[in-house]
Amino acid sequence: MDIRHLINIGDVSLEWWESLYSLCREIMADPHAFSDSCRGRVMASLFFEPSTRTCFSFQTAMMRLGGSVFGFSDPSSTSASKGETLADTIRMVSAYSDVIVMRHPSEGAAMAASLYSEVPLINAGDGGHMHPTQTLTDLTTISALRGGIGDMTVGLCGDLKNGRTVHSLVLALSKFPNISYCLISPRELAMPDYMLDFMRKNGQRFIEVTSLESSLPQLDILYMTRIQRERFIDPLEYERLKGVYVLTRRKLDRAKPDLLIMHPLPRVDEIAQDVDDDPRAVYFEQARYGMFIRMALLYQMCQKPRIKPAVPESAGEHLCRNPVCITQKNPYLPVLTKEDDGLCCAYCDKKILTI
Ligand code: CP
């Protein structure tokens, strides 16, 4: 199954992943053989939110394929600051480029942008919703370092409420065999109900716990995440919860010898510096794998023809009440819903409560 845009990792098939990873392995084995494969192609890099890894790894991935890059990492330098809509920005940018990479603080922004794009659009993170290319990075890391994905217990630790990387990772791992999860978080930052519903519906085995220490001995993968300060509405709540988990070298004494300690990064204080030298800590290697899988993705996306989008027609008002959904500040977007165990917003996937 092929895809036009990469918006939600749940949209991709196992076959699609296997073909992308196979290309990634070829690139990792001989990167120079691909150094002209996107010559003449242009990537637009639209970062409405800060980034180090995703932004730079996409940019360097395109450069290593021989392509060029333009874009911004500060939206205040663009006409968005004068009130230009996301739709118009995307219409312009897609006229100038062959592929768009976009990060945005609103949930569902990537889906909204894809409606107006003539070229493939890649979601580089949309609020607390999804981060599909981080997941491709994570799958690459696990595949490369464990020799395959499956038959493992994965600990997801930290801010499971706001962490888009863990949401995307669970959607992706559900396609692989025999995976159990320890969901480790304070109750206030537990995995959202819609994700737990997804896990139950798809037969994913999980337990929800609050203690990192007691979970560690069972884990094959520990996926640490930071408490996401920028997603808190109440700063006092952040102050109360920050620092709730700190992985130290001493705590790892009880962990398996072949544990993989992963983290999408950036870290704040949830992994002590003394863990960095432990051979089980693979988070910096993980970031480098991210560049190679993004090379494979860009290579694939740049082969696709330019297509004039047909924006769906719709009438009425948006019913989504998620305060951080893209539809809240962009009422001109077509009203789109989908059925997934009840009516959901097609942009941010949140349930629509009808009375
Ligand atoms: N992992 C990740 O998305 O990092 P950045 O926010 O630095 O891109």
Side-chain angles (χ1 to χ4, degrees):
M1 188 196 81
D2 198 12
I3 52 165
R4 170 103 188 129
H5 307 286
L6 178 60
I7 306 299
N8 185 330
I9 200 75
D11 296 340
V12 308
S13 65
L14 203 50
E15 294 70 33
W16 180 87
W17 155 252
E18 280 163 357
S19 134
L20 189 74
Y21 183 57
S22 163
L23 175 60
C24 178
R25 282 172 55 137
E26 282 182 51
I27 293 172
M28 289 193 288
D30 186 5
H32 294 294
F34 290 82
S35 59
D36 267 335
S37 51
C38 283
R39 177 84 50 214
R41 304 289 176 159
V42 178
M43 181 188 100
S45 171
L46 313 185
F47 278 74
F48 290 87
E49 243 194 359
S51 166
T52 297
R53 276 145 294 275
T54 314
C55 183
F56 295 152
S57 65
F58 262 118
Q59 294 188 358
T60 51
M62 193 55 169
M63 291 172 196
R64 285 171 188 272
L65 294 168
S68 320
V69 178
F70 76 99
F72 59 84
S73 52
D74 177 4
S76 69
S77 67
T78 73
S79 288
S81 66
K82 299 180 220 162
E84 183 163 68
T85 61
L86 179 64
D88 284 356
T89 301
I90 295 298
R91 283 185 177 110
M92 294 302 97
V93 168
S94 79
Y96 307 145
S97 62
D98 299 296
V99 61
I100 298 175
V101 174
M102 186 183 88
R103 172 172 288 188
H104 198 283
S106 296
E107 299 190 0
M111 151 68 179
S114 71
L115 298 177
Y116 301 91
S117 179
E118 293 182 15
V119 299
L121 187 137
I122 299 171
N123 182 3
D126 58 337
H129 182 223
M130 291 284 154
H131 194 348
T133 67
Q134 178 62 48
T135 305
L136 297 178
T137 299
D138 302 339
L139 298 183
T140 303
T141 306
I142 299 169
S143 299
L145 300 180
R146 280 179 60 91
I149 305 176
D151 304 315
M152 59 195 190
T153 300
V154 179
L156 302 172
C157 178
D159 187 348
L160 307 188
K161 176 183 174 193
N162 299 303
R164 56 193 172 197
T165 59
V166 290
H167 305 163
S168 290
L169 184 58
V170 167
L171 291 187
L173 289 180
S174 69
K175 297 178 168 57
F176 294 88
N178 196 23
I179 299 181
S180 310
Y181 302 86
C182 277
L183 306 178
I184 310 160
S185 74
R187 279 183 234 294
E188 296 86 339
L189 299 178
M191 194 69 107
D193 285 341
Y194 77 93
M195 284 302 307
L196 295 178
D197 287 347
F198 169 86
M199 294 175 85
R200 287 189 195 101
K201 215 167 100 187
N202 286 275
Q204 303 293 291
R205 291 187 306 275
F206 67 88
I207 52 168
E208 291 186 278
V209 296
T210 52
S211 164
L212 170 60
E213 282 84 340
S214 59
S215 310
L216 258 174
Q218 290 99 58
L219 304 181
D220 299 297
I221 291 178
L222 172 59
Y223 196 93
M224 293 294 291
T225 63
R226 82 189 155 90
I227 308 296
Q228 308 241 322
R229 181 168 47 117
E230 67 277 25
R231 312 269 178 236
F232 279 72
I233 293 164
D234 178 0
L236 292 177
E237 177 89 338
Y238 172 74
E239 289 301 319
R240 200 168 58 74
L241 292 169
K242 72 175 187 190
V244 63
Y245 298 114
V246 181
L247 182 68
T248 59
R249 187 77 174 244
R250 195 183 49 76
K251 287 180 189 167
L252 283 170
D253 287 349
R254 297 179 59 219
K256 290 185 182 177
D258 59 351
L259 171 74
L260 295 185
I261 306 165
M262 298 173 64
H263 192 309
L265 304 177
R267 72 171 148 186
V268 182
D269 55 7
E270 58 281 355
I271 300 183
Q273 306 272 340
D274 68 358
V275 175
D276 295 355
D277 296 331
D278 189 300
R280 292 169 288 187
V282 299
Y283 27 89
F284 295 123
E285 233 174 306
Q286 183 184 351
R288 184 161 165 82
Y289 282 124
M291 182 184 70
F292 290 116
I293 196 71
R294 287 177 174 117
M295 284 174 77
L297 181 64
L298 287 171
Y299 178 89
Q300 197 197 68
M301 290 297 198
C302 282
Q303 314 298 317
K304 296 183 194 299
R306 177 175 294 273
I307 299 175
K308 265 233 158 341
V311 182
E313 284 188 23
S314 70
E317 273 184 34
H318 290 284
L319 298 172
C320 182
R321 294 293 169 258
N322 172 8
V324 288
C325 177
I326 188 71
T327 57
Q328 298 292 324
K329 288 187 184 156
N330 295 266
Y332 62 86
L333 290 170
V335 176
L336 298 177
T337 56
K338 62 183 183 185
E339 270 298 325
D340 186 9
D341 230 8
L343 197 63
C344 295
C345 173
Y347 296 92
C348 72
D349 291 321
K350 297 289 184 304
K351 284 256 184 320
I352 291 174
L353 301 173
T354 47
I355 304 163

